[in-house]
Amino acid sequence: MNHSFERITVLGATGSIGVNTLDVIARHPDKYQVFALTAHRNLQLLTEQCLKFQPKFAVITDRQKAESLQEILANHGLDTQVLSSVEDLEIVASHSDVDTVMAAIVGAAGLLPTLAAVKASKKVLLANKEALVMSGSIFMQAVKDSDATLLPIDSEHNAIFQSLPEHFVTDGIKSCGIENIVLTGSGGPFLNKPLNEFSSITPEEACAHPNWDMGRKISVDSATMMNKGLELIEACWMFDVKPADIEVLLHPQSIIHSMVRYKDGSVISQMGNPDMRTPIAHALAFPQRVDAGVAPLDFMQISQLTFDKPCFERYPCLKLAVDSIAKGGNMPTTLNAANEIAVEAFLDEQIGFTQIAEVIQQVLSQTEYAEVADLEAVLTADKESRQLAQKIISEL
C-alpha cells in the first residue's frame, strides 16, 4: 500500500455523510486512499462503492449479505476482505494501517467503533453525535489519554470550530475572550406549521427537509429539533462549555452554520451553502483546504438572513435535551436511547409525530438519575432506556 496517501476508514459509508465523504475523497485521488468501508444493510450501494474504491476491507453487519458481497467482489477480481460482525467495525476503525476514520454510523451503534478509533490515536472525523451525547466525559477523556485528533463534522460544530481561535484547544473558552456560542438551526420543515396540525404529520412530511439532504432518522430529529438538542449536548463536551454558554437560534436559510460571540463585541460566523461536503473537506484536509465540489455562496442570490428564538411548545424535544444535559449523569444517554426508539416507531407508523416527545418524556421521568462512571454503565443505561421506551410505545 502506498504510504504517501492518507488511508481512511469510512464507518457508515452508505449513509448521506458516507456518500458525501467518498465524493470528496474521489476528487483527490492523489491525497486519499480508502482502507475500509462499512454498512449496516445497504448491500447494493456498498457493492458499488467497493468496486469503485477497492478497499482492503468491507464490513456489512449481515452475514448473508457479507457472503454475497465477497462473492461479487471476487468475481470482479478484487481481493477486498469482507467481514460481518459488530466487532469487525472496531477492528477496521483501529487498524494500524488506518490514518483517519470518518465516524458516520447513525445512533448508538456508532459509539464503540468510534471509541476504538479514538483509543488507537486516529484522526477521528466525528459525524456520530451520539458518541458524545451518550458518553461525553468518557469519550473526551479517551481523546486526551490517546492523543487522538478529534474534528467535528456536524455543520454546526464544524462552524464553531472554524470560528474559534487557534489557541482555544489549549487555553479553553474563558481564556479566549469568548462570550458565548450561538448554535443555529433551520427549524426544520414545520417552522410555520400550525401546532394543531402536528398530530397528523406523516413520516414523509417529516423527512422532507427544506435545506439539507439527510437520512430519515436525522431528518425526523431535525423536524422535532431533537437534532439541535443533541448538538447542544455534543457542543458542551466537544468545546468544554456549559449549556448556559450556548444560545440556540432559528435560522431558516441555513447559510450561517453557527457563530462565536467575543467579549469585545465581535461575532465570528462560518457561512456557506448547505452542503455537508464543506465540513467534510475541511476536516479531511485540516489544517489545509481542498476543493469540496461545493459552489461558493452567491451573495446576490441571498435575499435575507433571519433569526428567531425557538419555541419549546413547538419543539418540546429541544427542551427535553436542554433539561437532560443540565441534569447530567445517565440522562443524556436515556434521552438519546428513547429518541432513537421513538423515531423508529414514528417512521414505522406505530406512533404519531407528537408522541415522539411524549415517549421520551415518559422514559426520562421513569428513569432514576445515576452517575455513569464507565462505558459499561453507559451501555446499560442505553439498553434499559430502549426497553422502557418500547414498553411505553406498546402501551400507547
Side-chain angles (χ1 to χ4, degrees):
M1 192 178 282
N2 188 332
H3 281 224
S4 64
F5 292 99
E6 193 171 324
R7 293 154 299 183
I8 300 167
T9 286
V10 182
L11 299 171
T14 57
S16 64
I17 297 286
V19 168
N20 279 315
T21 300
L22 291 173
D23 181 89
V24 175
I25 287 171
R27 293 169 190 278
H28 304 280
D30 57 324
K31 288 182 169 65
Y32 308 113
Q33 190 172 68
V34 175
F35 177 80
L37 297 173
T38 85
H40 180 41
R41 54 172 173 251
N42 192 336
L43 175 61
Q44 186 182 339
L45 182 52
L46 184 62
T47 302
E48 290 167 17
Q49 291 173 339
C50 286
L51 292 173
K52 181 173 180 177
F53 292 96
Q54 303 185 8
K56 187 165 183 178
F57 292 101
V59 184
I60 186 160
T61 50
D62 177 310
R63 185 160 292 189
Q64 257 185 322
K65 288 182 176 180
E67 287 169 6
S68 302
L69 180 60
Q70 189 72 79
E71 195 178 329
I72 294 164
L73 298 181
N75 288 342
H76 280 84
L78 294 188
D79 58 1
T80 297
Q81 189 179 341
V82 181
L83 308 169
S84 63
S85 78
V86 174
E87 291 74 27
D88 291 325
L89 295 172
E90 296 179 46
I91 289 168
V92 299
S94 59
H95 199 286
S96 58
D97 287 347
V98 173
D99 302 304
T100 299
V101 175
M102 169 55 80
I105 295 174
V106 175
L111 172 60
L112 293 177
T114 305
L115 204 48
V118 165
K119 288 177 177 175
S121 308
K122 304 303 180 189
K123 175 179 165 185
V124 178
L125 314 185
L126 189 68
N128 171 274
K129 60 176 68 67
E130 290 82 4
L132 277 179
V133 170
M134 290 172 68
S135 62
S137 61
I138 296 164
F139 190 92
M140 292 310 291
Q141 190 58 50
V143 171
K144 281 185 192 136
D145 292 345
S146 64
D147 209 21
T149 301
L150 185 67
L151 294 167
I153 297 299
D154 265 352
S155 61
E156 295 82 0
H157 300 89
N158 185 267
I160 293 163
F161 182 79
Q162 292 194 52
S163 302
L164 289 167
E166 279 180 38
H167 57 284
F168 167 79
V169 177
T170 51
D171 292 0
I173 190 166
K174 298 304 175 196
S175 303
C176 294
I178 293 165
E179 187 66 39
N180 72 346
I181 287 168
V182 181
L183 197 62
T184 60
S186 69
F190 310 128
L191 179 62
N192 300 307
K193 192 177 184 73
L195 290 174
N196 62 6
E197 295 178 15
F198 269 42
S199 56
S200 62
I201 288 169
T202 66
E204 283 59 45
E205 288 171 326
C207 290
H209 196 281
N211 302 334
W212 296 96
D213 178 19
M214 306 179 290
R216 283 168 71 79
K217 191 264 179 186
I218 297 172
S219 294
V220 174
D221 281 350
S222 180
T224 64
M225 272 194 86
M226 176 59 89
N227 210 35
K228 209 52 49 187
L230 297 176
E231 285 168 11
L232 182 138
I233 297 170
E234 184 184 4
C236 286
W237 290 113
M238 182 166 281
F239 303 114
D240 192 21
V241 297
K242 294 181 169 56
D245 296 322
I246 301 175
E247 178 186 359
V248 177
L249 275 185
L250 294 175
H251 171 50
Q253 296 82 19
S254 298
I255 297 295
I256 291 179
H257 300 305
S258 276
M259 305 177 257
V260 176
R261 286 188 213 273
Y262 288 83
K263 291 187 187 300
D264 60 6
S266 301
V267 179
I268 297 180
S269 70
Q270 187 266 338
M271 306 170 74
N273 282 314
D275 190 316
M276 285 308 297
R277 290 176 298 174
T278 296
I280 289 166
H282 172 264
L284 263 178
F286 185 80
Q288 271 76 46
R289 300 269 180 172
V290 295
D291 171 41
V294 180
L297 267 183
D298 182 349
F299 286 97
M300 296 304 105
Q301 294 296 312
I302 301 170
S303 57
Q304 58 179 343
L305 300 177
T306 61
F307 303 91
D308 203 357
K309 283 267 184 212
C311 162
F312 286 149
E313 193 185 356
R314 182 173 291 274
Y315 301 114
C317 285
L318 177 59
K319 177 78 166 74
L320 292 170
V322 171
D323 291 347
S324 77
I325 184 63
K327 287 176 187 166
N330 58 337
M331 289 299 145
T333 307
T334 299
L335 172 96
N336 179 70
N339 180 62
E340 283 191 27
I341 296 299
V343 169
E344 198 178 327
F346 168 67
L347 287 170
D348 290 342
E349 299 185 5
Q350 294 174 342
I351 63 172
F353 183 76
T354 54
Q355 289 177 303
I356 296 172
E358 289 171 26
V359 170
I360 299 164
Q361 196 277 323
Q362 282 195 51
V363 173
L364 286 167
S365 64
Q366 291 179 40
T367 300
E368 213 170 303
Y369 172 87
E371 292 292 338
V372 281
D374 53 32
L375 201 56
E376 195 179 340
V378 171
L379 297 174
T380 300
D382 177 71
K383 185 182 175 185
E384 289 174 355
S385 302
R386 285 168 192 276
Q387 289 169 345
L388 180 55
Q390 279 162 340
K391 179 174 177 286
I392 288 164
I393 288 164
S394 70
E395 292 169 356
L396 283 174

